[in-house]
């Protein structure tokens, strides 16, 4: 399978990437409390399945998911957080998601669901400082205008057990969302000629 994008493909990638990124920015603004912030991955995974599965159905090209991941990594990792580690984690997750979709030639529900489950974990990049570099995360929040008390509340939730719970919940939510998306694709989008 060769990488060959037409203008229509790039427009589709740009549009779906924008929807995906903006949805997560809105979610992060709505869920900006310590507890809700850490359930953003499962909530996002539950909501964004139809968007992601339709994206794969519309593009079905090697590199489309990677480009989406690169855009997310660049915009969120560099512009919002100004951190190369976050950007690299985001991009790495997108590469693994691309690999899974590619293994099913972008047509296998099983492999596309695996791809979506991995892609749903991309917020690990943003949340990694809370789990790995607590002092840096505290400084980042305080410098952004948060109180030291709020920063400490965020960091108190960031335990290894909670991280494992969040990852498992995110994968479960992604699988549920992929099943809902699959039904939607079959029932509405294919009939309408969208997928």
């Amino acid at each position: 399978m060769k990488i060959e994008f037409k203008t229509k493909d790039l427009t589709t990638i740009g549009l779906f990437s924008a929807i995906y990124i903006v949805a997560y920015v809105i979610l992060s603004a709505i869920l900006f409390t310590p507890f809700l912030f850490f359930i953003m991955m499962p909530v996002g995974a539950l909501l964004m399945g139809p968007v992601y599965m339709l994206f794969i159905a519309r593009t079905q090209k090697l590199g489309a998911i990677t480009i989406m991941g690169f855009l997310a990594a660049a915009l969120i990792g560099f512009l919002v957080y100004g951190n190369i580690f976050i950007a690299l984690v985001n991009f790495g997750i997108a590469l693994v998601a691309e690999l899974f979709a590619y293994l099913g030639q972008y047509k296998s529900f099983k492999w596309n669901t695996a791809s979506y489950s991995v892609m749903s974990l991309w917020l690990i990049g943003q949340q990694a400082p809370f789990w790995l570099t607590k002092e840096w995360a505290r400084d980042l929040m305080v410098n952004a205008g948060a109180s030291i008390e709020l920063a400490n509340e965020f960091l108190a939730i960031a335990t290894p057990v909670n991280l494992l719970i969040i990852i498992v919940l995110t994968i479960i939510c992604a699988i549920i969302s992929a099943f809902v998306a699959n039904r939607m694709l079959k029932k509405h989008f294919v009939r309408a000629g969208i997928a």
Side-chain angles (χ1 to χ4, degrees), residues 13-124:
I13 292 167
L15 175 66
F16 277 90
S17 297
I19 291 168
Y20 209 77
I21 293 165
V22 167
Y24 274 102
V25 168
I26 291 169
L27 265 179
S28 67
I30 292 170
L31 302 178
F32 196 72
T33 67
F35 173 71
L36 295 177
F37 179 75
F38 289 111
I39 64 162
M40 187 173 20
M41 275 196 303
V43 170
L46 201 56
L47 297 176
M48 296 305 293
V51 173
Y52 188 83
M53 297 303 244
L54 182 58
F55 170 67
I56 291 177
R58 293 284 293 172
T59 54
Q60 293 190 5
K61 291 199 173 169
L62 179 63
I65 296 168
T66 302
I67 293 171
M68 177 192 267
F70 175 78
L71 291 172
L75 291 172
I76 304 297
F78 284 126
L79 291 180
V80 175
Y81 289 93
N83 187 284
I84 192 161
F85 171 77
I86 292 171
L88 289 174
V89 169
N90 289 349
F91 187 61
I93 285 171
L95 288 175
V96 175
E98 180 88 59
L99 172 65
F100 284 156
Y102 175 76
L103 289 172
Q105 296 299 297
Y106 302 92
K107 293 177 174 30
S108 163
F109 173 70
K110 176 181 78 173
W111 285 110
N112 287 348
T113 300
S115 172
Y116 179 58
S117 297
V118 170
M119 193 66 167
S120 295
L121 297 171
W122 75 284
L123 286 177
I124 284 282

